[in-house]
Amino acid sequence: MAHDHVTVRVPGKVNLQLSVGPLRDDGYHDIATLFQAVSIFDDVKVALSGERDRKERFSIEIKADHPHGIPTDKSNLAYIAAELMFNRFQLETPIDITIEKRIPVAGGMAGGSANAAGVIVAIDSLFSLGLSKSEMEEIGAEIGSDVPFSISGGTAVGTGRGEQLTPALARGEYSWVLALSSNGLSTPAIYKECDRLREGMEISAPQINESLMHALRSGDAKALGKSLQNDLQPAACSIRPALRLILDVGMDYGALGGIVSGSGPTVAFLAEDEDHALDLVVALTSSGVVGNVVRASGPVVGATVIDR
Ligand code: ATP
């Protein structure tokens, strides 16, 4: 153990498409999704504790502008990841986990999953476990369906419950404008509303549109904007009608496309380039329909050690 701490930077994600299959007997849905990691990051620091013989193996500290809604106990996904790693690799030295949070909480950007990914990568490095990326992704899948993608980053197709990843051929860099909400939405509640809205309808197996893949392969932002699609969007807008207004305002101001990310409530707008993104930020902010608007670019790499 050459170091006493490791910091891992983990990105948030947007879903360029989220196709949701019918409700399964076990209460879950098969999905097909196209993830893109974007440049809004949490930093996860894992340090060997100074008190080597303390009883608790893990402590968690959250540094955030809005820390409410983030648990610091065993239910934190970072804690669950630490527990899994410690049990699997028979680790003993207690650790302190500090999460510097910028990814919105319950925002449909997989913030909690990103933190779990950060802990896996940090523990691998801190304890010199020598795991490969795919081994870490496999461990991540045991924690949650978005965790493997937080490790891999880039642009990828996710199938199954989103955890079975295939890298997507994507050319170019995309400028995103994210309309953030300080009030999160619960993913299970959005799926439930989705099922309610689709009651009695024939739902086909989830599938990624060829037009979307083609737009990505050719680096065509305009075509990509037109192909964005999220089957959970009607449910998110039903529960949070203000999202429709935000989507309308962004499109009125010339966004190439707009989409609720994952289960929401973050709304992601695709801009033509950096300058256009800046114009969109100003327009959305001055419209008064959304409080916090930030720019991000994608794709970016997954969980990465930035300091040790
Ligand atoms: P997804 O896009 O994967 O559905 P999300 O981005 O909408 O997830 P998260 O930020 O991951 O949502 O948080 C969802 C809930 O998980 C939170 O409301 C919180 O109670 C819990 N949670 C557990 N661990 C964390 C964590 N490290 N950071 C944020 N929330 C966490």
Side-chain angles (χ1 to χ4, degrees), residues 24-47:
R24 302 190 320 204
D25 290 341
D26 63 3
Y28 290 104
H29 302 77
D30 282 325
I31 65 167
T33 189
L34 195 71
F35 293 112
Q36 183 160 94
V38 295
S39 62
I40 175 164
F41 301 101
D42 285 353
D43 287 340
V44 180
K45 179 178 170 190
V46 175

Side-chain angles (χ1 to χ4, degrees), residues 104-111 181 184-185 261-267:
V105 179
M109 296 191 71
S181 167
L185 283 173
S261 180
S263 52
T266 302
V267 178

Side-chain angles (χ1 to χ4, degrees), residues 13 69-71 75-77 101 105-112 115 146 187 263:
K13 56 84 180 164
I70 311 174
S75 65
N76 193 301
L77 289 173
K101 204 138 192 64
V105 179
M109 296 191 71
N115 297 161
D146 287 347
T187 305
S263 52

Side-chain angles (χ1 to χ4, degrees), residues 147-233:
V147 182
F149 179 71
S150 300
I151 294 173
S152 76
T155 308
V157 174
T159 53
R161 287 170 57 195
E163 82 288 6
Q164 292 160 28
L165 295 179
T166 315
L169 206 60
R171 188 169 288 159
E173 195 178 299
Y174 298 91
S175 294
W176 294 97
V177 172
L178 306 173
L180 308 183
S181 167
S182 51
N183 243 339
L185 283 173
S186 144
T187 305
I190 296 298
Y191 271 99
K192 215 168 148 203
E193 178 66 359
C194 174
D195 292 333
R196 192 186 69 81
L197 293 174
R198 305 201 301 193
E199 219 171 318
M201 288 162 69
E202 192 66 42
I203 306 297
S204 43
Q207 199 180 348
I208 299 295
N209 294 335
E210 185 44 42
S211 60
L212 185 69
M213 297 305 278
H214 187 264
L216 274 175
R217 278 198 298 272
S218 47
D220 184 342
K222 279 203 175 86
L224 182 66
K226 287 197 189 104
S227 305
L228 300 173
Q229 195 189 322
N230 180 0
D231 287 355
L232 291 180
Q233 188 161 306

